[in-house]
Amino acid sequence: MVNNGWVEANPAEPQPSPRLSAREGRSPRDMIMSLLVLLVPIALCLTFYRVVLDGDKPISIDPAETIQLAERAFPVAQPRGLDEDDWHVASAVFGRVDGGATLRLGYVGPSGKAMQLIQSTVAPTTLIPAEVGDSGKRTGAYRTDERVWMQYSGRPGETALIFTEPTRTIVIIGDGGDTENLEKLASALP
C-alpha cells in the first residue's frame, strides 16, 4: 500500500533480512591491511629500541660502593683488563653471615650469559657445597699467571672455578658451556 510516497509494509508478509552486498562486506584482504597498519609501527618501535637505544644490552651498575664495604672485611680481588663493552657488572651484593662475610658480583660476559664472582671469608667446607651444590665434583684445574683454580661441575649445566687461600675463598660460577669466559674472568683477577 502506498501512502504519500511511502510504501507501507504488510505485517503479514515476511520481510527480507538486510544483507550487505559482496562489495560492502569485509574481505580477507581488508583484514590483512588492517593488521599491517598495526604491525608496521610496532616493528619500527622495536627496531628503534634495539638499534638506537641498545635495548638488548645488559644494564650495568657501578659496584664501587659495595666493593668498598667488602674491603673492610677482607682483601677484594677486582678483575682488570676486561673490555667494558663486552663485560657488564649486573649486580653487587655484600653481606655478613655467621662465620664470615661474602661479596657477590654478577657479570654478563661477551656471550650474553650470566656468571657470578663470589669472594668470601666463610669456611670453604661450608661455602663450596652451598655455592656449587652437594653433587658438585672436581673435574680438573685451570692455571692462570696468579693462581691454580679447581674446576668443579656444579648444579646441572653449571661449571665453577674455585680458589681457596687462608683468608678467603674465590668462586666463579657460570654456564657450563661458557667455560672460556669463566676462564677469562679468572685470568683477570690479580
Side-chain angles (χ1 to χ4, degrees), residues 49-178:
Y49 174 74
R50 287 185 171 189
V51 174
V52 177
L53 301 178
D54 286 332
D56 290 338
K57 186 177 179 181
I59 297 173
S60 295
I61 65 159
D62 182 10
E65 188 176 317
T66 307
I67 290 172
Q68 287 175 352
L69 285 172
E71 285 177 332
R72 294 179 189 162
F74 57 86
V76 174
Q78 295 182 50
R80 295 198 174 115
L82 296 176
D83 184 7
E84 290 182 18
D85 291 333
D86 293 334
W87 291 85
H88 304 277
V89 179
S91 65
V93 178
F94 174 72
R96 295 185 185 275
V97 294
D98 291 339
T102 302
L103 172 65
R104 296 174 183 278
L105 298 174
Y107 284 87
V108 177
S111 65
K113 295 183 179 176
M115 59 192 76
Q116 193 171 68
L117 170 62
I118 302 161
Q119 299 181 55
S120 181
T121 59
V122 174
T125 55
T126 304
L127 181 70
I128 293 172
E131 299 300 335
V132 177
D134 293 330
S135 62
K137 302 251 190 280
R138 186 169 176 189
T139 59
Y142 174 69
R143 183 178 303 273
T144 65
D145 293 339
E146 302 290 326
R147 302 175 174 91
V148 176
W149 295 80
M150 298 177 289
Q151 186 171 353
Y152 276 71
S153 64
R155 294 176 185 91
E158 288 186 345
T159 297
L161 297 175
I162 301 170
F163 176 76
T164 59
E165 56 187 23
T167 58
R168 69 174 170 185
T169 302
I170 303 174
V171 179
I172 301 173
I173 296 178
D175 188 286
D178 198 24

Side-chain angles (χ1 to χ4, degrees), residues 40-50:
V40 168
I42 291 171
L44 289 173
C45 287
L46 283 174
T47 302
F48 178 77
Y49 174 74
R50 287 185 171 189

